[in-house]
Amino acid sequence: MIIRGAFEVARRGGLDSMSMPGLAAHLNVGVTSIYWYFRSKEDLLQQMYLNAAQSFYDRLITPDGFAPSDWRNYLSQVFRQYRSTLEVDELFAELLLHPQAGHSGVRTPFVYDKLENQVAYLVAAGFTPRAAWDTYACLVMFTRGITTSERARRNSGYPPEGLDQLSRIDVATMPLLAGLISDEGVSIDMSGDTFLPGLNMILDSAEARLASGR
């Protein structure tokens, strides 16, 4: 009940605005009732992270059904899904990318079990364990970085969209940036359309590394 209520409160105002007294009021219970189960907001956030992470990783496609030789197609699909899932669920993104989540002491064996499976799949495709690790880690960190930038842009409204970005730079002294904005439609915060080119560049590098290893 407490966790479900915490998700309801956080979806309304975000994690930072959520407080233990506010959660107690939402649940119509005394705040001491919540502290009986969670000693602090940080403890509650850790449990919320666990629930979100379990649900998030359960949604992602797995290597099952993909032949090892189809590794590039699999990675392309799973990280497109990774990004779109975080885009659709703002609270999941906030929890999974929260500085107090992840590796700060909370036990997440299911996360590492899935990581082991991903590395094993790439090893079966011909990568060395280290090359498999480097490839997967780069894709995770790249996708998370793009997601963080896109969330910041949505929440702050900066930089503006399209040609309005030209007002943020000196067009006369920055002709390359001006051309990229006006002709190529780039976002000067490097989010948005950067994702697919970046994804393919990482996969190209992985493919070259696999070929050289053979």
Side-chain angles (χ1 to χ4, degrees):
M1 180 181 73
I2 294 175
I3 296 298
R4 182 173 68 250
F7 270 91
E8 291 169 353
V9 171
R11 287 193 187 282
R12 288 205 306 259
L15 292 178
D16 291 338
S17 67
M18 187 181 70
S19 67
M20 302 297 254
L23 176 58
H26 175 73
L27 295 174
N28 197 28
V29 299
V31 69
T32 54
S33 300
I34 297 177
Y35 281 115
W36 180 264
Y37 295 98
F38 300 99
R39 291 176 296 177
S40 65
K41 179 180 175 179
E42 288 68 32
D43 287 345
L44 178 58
L45 285 175
Q46 290 287 6
Q47 188 58 54
M48 291 176 70
Y49 163 75
L50 276 174
N51 285 33
Q54 181 74 68
S55 178
F56 174 76
Y57 286 105
D58 284 347
R59 296 182 191 186
L60 294 181
I61 60 175
T62 68
D64 299 337
F66 288 85
S69 60
D70 201 25
W71 64 269
R72 178 167 182 146
N73 178 38
Y74 166 69
L75 289 180
S76 179
Q77 287 193 43
V78 75
F79 281 99
R80 287 172 189 239
Q81 185 190 20
Y82 195 115
R83 180 197 184 207
S84 64
T85 301
L86 291 179
E87 283 183 322
V88 167
D89 198 317
E90 187 77 11
L91 181 57
F92 270 23
E94 192 174 1
L95 279 166
L96 294 172
L97 303 175
H98 197 279
Q100 293 178 346
H103 307 282
S104 56
V106 66
R107 288 181 57 81
T108 54
F110 59 89
V111 174
Y112 302 123
D113 180 63
K114 291 181 182 296
L115 181 57
E116 173 76 15
N117 290 340
Q118 303 289 358
V119 172
Y121 171 72
L122 292 176
V123 168
F127 289 87
T128 65
R130 182 54 195 253
W133 170 266
D134 288 346
T135 299
Y136 197 79
C138 284
L139 287 166
V140 168
M141 300 310 293
F142 169 71
T143 305
R144 287 186 169 216
I146 287 287
T147 301
T148 300
S149 294
E150 290 174 337
R151 285 184 64 240
R153 182 173 193 158
R154 286 196 300 271
N155 293 335
S156 69
Y158 178 84
E161 299 286 341
L163 296 180
D164 288 341
Q165 296 177 96
L166 294 174
S167 65
R168 304 292 177 168
I169 66 172
D170 186 338
V171 174
T173 61
M174 304 176 189
L176 294 177
L177 291 182
L180 286 167
I181 291 170
S182 60
D183 301 333
E184 301 294 337
V186 305
S187 300
I188 55 177
D189 65 342
M190 301 183 185
S191 64
D193 290 342
T194 307
F195 177 72
L196 288 180
L199 175 64
N200 285 323
M201 288 175 70
I202 295 173
L203 295 177
D204 287 345
S205 177
E207 198 160 33
R209 189 169 181 179
L210 178 60
S212 66
R214 285 174 174 166

